[in-house]
Amino acid sequence: MKTGFIAILGRPNVGKSTLLNALLSKKVSIVSPRAQTTRDDIQGILNEKDYQMVFVDTPGIYMGQEALDKHMRSAAFSSSKDVEAVLYLIDASEDSFERDIDIIASIKPTCPLFLILNKVDLIRADRAAEVKETLHKAFSDYPIIEASLIENFGIKEIKQAVIPCLHEGEPFYPDDMITDKDHAYQAKEVIRQELLHFLKEEIPHQSAVKIDTLEKERGAYKIEATIAVEKENHKAIVIGKGGQMIKKISMAARHELERMWHEHITHLTIRVEAVPNWRNDPKKLLEFGYGND
Ligand SMILES: Nc1nc2c(ncn2[C@@H]2O[C@H](COP(=O)(O)OP(=O)(O)OP(=O)(O)O)[C@@H](O)[C@H]2O)c(=O)[nH]1
Ligand SMILES: [Mg+2]
């Protein structure tokens, strides 16, 4: 059997988590139209007859200075080590690729690196050719694969490109496992996804979610969670008039989790708490699951 790890890297919002879900044909990583959605490395396991590929979705690379930003950056860069291949995603609809070129130059991979030019559905063919030329000039050794992940275009090509990078060996995970993350992690992420969906501006980025209890009773799940926000007035917004907003968030999260797990969830109760400056407090970061790197 052939096996290997493949890191998915790139700037925020380029479609890394969309790629992970598309490769697995299953949702394991949350997606949103807003930048800085993914905060941790998330492994997705693709089991086929002849191989097991373990893809690692990572937080978008950007240069923020909060302790949370540093946690996210370190999660992204460290996952490009000890892998069989790196997929570096680029948003083809951007005007300039200078920041991508700087980041790619700093990765210095010890394995094959593929440039995935995503979102080509948003540009004309002549512009795509121009962008490819720019990237090829900067990195003639790295193959470029065009993709439009929302149109399912390019996924087969990406899998084909990665197969020769795999090594002969025992699989890393059992063949019925699709992610390294448990139900509690997925529940917290889906609540964050709905926060990003329903609340604009900075509130979702200044929020964290903690799962207090997750129990399965008589075939159905019961989940209790806490959303931490940075300010008292944010707490009022997340709860909403008469609890309307938190009800909407909880209902959407419950439905999404039921779709992902094919399981019934009887209760999803969410508390909201103001925790000033949690993004810069190492103890609070740990409490919300963000390591102390
Ligand atoms: N038009 C278009 N949009 C896409 C494509 N692929 C992904 N998107 C959209 O781009 C947005 C960001 O997708 P994500 O998968 O969350 O991006 P990400 O790189 O994981 O973002 P971070 O986790 O913030 O780093 C979502 O709204 C996706 O639906 C594509 O091929 N074309
Ligand atoms: Mg993501």
Side-chain angles (χ1 to χ4, degrees):
M1 152 128 348
K2 290 187 137 205
T3 57
F5 282 79
I6 302 105
I8 303 173
L9 297 188
R11 290 172 48 220
N13 212 41
V14 295
K16 298 177 296 299
S17 303
T18 307
L19 174 60
L20 181 71
N21 297 335
L23 286 161
L24 304 183
S25 308
K26 239 184 166 33
K27 177 149 181 172
V28 296
S29 190
I30 60 166
V31 167
S32 97
R34 322 265 298 276
Q36 295 152 43
T37 297
T38 307
R39 288 181 176 170
D40 310 283
D41 289 351
I42 298 170
Q43 295 185 6
I45 303 145
L46 179 64
N47 288 296
E48 296 284 354
K49 200 161 89 14
D50 304 322
Y51 61 77
Q52 181 178 76
M53 293 179 186
V54 183
F55 293 98
V56 189
D57 182 18
T58 63
I61 297 166
Y62 79 110
M63 292 303 155
Q65 287 312 314
E66 310 274 354
L68 176 65
D69 301 325
K70 290 175 190 159
H71 160 86
M72 287 160 66
R73 200 155 53 235
S74 133
F77 272 112
S78 65
S79 66
S80 68
K81 315 287 172 224
D82 296 326
V83 290
E84 275 63 42
V86 172
L87 303 173
Y88 185 92
L89 253 77
I90 297 165
D91 180 342
S93 69
E94 294 274 326
D95 295 330
S96 153
F97 298 91
E98 272 168 42
R99 275 182 296 172
D100 284 301
I101 288 173
D102 284 348
I103 295 170
I104 298 163
S106 73
I107 296 175
K108 301 190 177 68
T110 50
C111 62
L113 184 148
F114 300 91
L115 300 173
I116 314 295
L117 194 59
N118 188 31
K119 306 197 188 184
V120 293
D121 54 287
L122 297 177
I123 56 169
R124 289 165 37 146
D126 53 349
R127 174 63 183 157
E130 215 174 271
V131 176
K132 276 168 80 171
E133 183 56 33
T134 305
L135 294 171
H136 182 71
K137 261 197 199 137
F139 306 102
S140 56
D141 289 347
Y142 300 152
I144 302 171
I145 303 173
E146 283 187 49
S148 166
L149 297 172
I150 53 162
E151 291 176 347
N152 246 1
F153 166 66
I155 295 156
K156 230 181 21 213
E157 289 73 8
I158 295 171
K159 284 184 194 168
Q160 288 302 325
V162 167
I163 289 175
C165 309
L166 303 176
H167 298 308
E168 232 13 89
E170 289 299 308
F172 293 98
Y173 290 108
D175 65 3
D176 57 351
M177 201 165 153
I178 58 157
T179 176
D180 64 328
K181 297 291 187 263
D182 61 13
H183 276 34
Y185 181 87
Q186 292 185 356
K188 124 180 163 157
E189 286 292 274
V190 165
I191 295 169
R192 279 208 313 111
Q193 175 181 279
E194 299 313 330
L195 270 169
L196 283 157
H197 177 76
F198 285 109
L199 294 165
K200 307 293 170 233
E201 314 306 334
E202 79 275 29
I203 295 177
H205 288 130
Q206 299 182 359
S207 302
V209 179
K210 194 171 69 181
I211 300 300
D212 302 308
T213 54
L214 187 147
E215 292 166 351
K216 197 172 184 183
E217 259 176 36
R218 277 176 261 120
Y221 281 92
K222 194 177 143 197
I223 302 168
E224 285 170 7
T226 303
I227 295 177
V229 293
E230 292 225 311
K231 300 180 185 131
E232 278 299 331
N233 67 321
H234 286 177
K235 180 174 162 179
I237 297 169
V238 175
I239 293 171
K241 237 192 193 148
Q244 283 300 310
M245 180 53 79
I246 196 68
K247 212 180 276 170
K248 272 205 285 199
I249 292 170
S250 155
M251 211 138 81
R254 187 156 69 85
H255 288 148
E256 175 80 333
L257 286 168
E258 288 187 329
R259 267 197 300 274
M260 283 166 67
W261 297 347
H262 304 290
E263 300 268 14
H264 189 50
I265 299 167
T266 47
H267 296 278
L268 173 51
T269 320
I270 306 176
R271 271 181 350 111
V272 187
E273 193 188 343
V275 184
N277 207 31
W278 70 266
R279 287 180 303 163
N280 265 313
D281 179 338
K283 245 166 77 191
K284 289 287 167 204
L285 276 177
L286 260 185
E287 192 182 322
F288 290 107
Y290 296 120
N292 57 348
D293 27 36

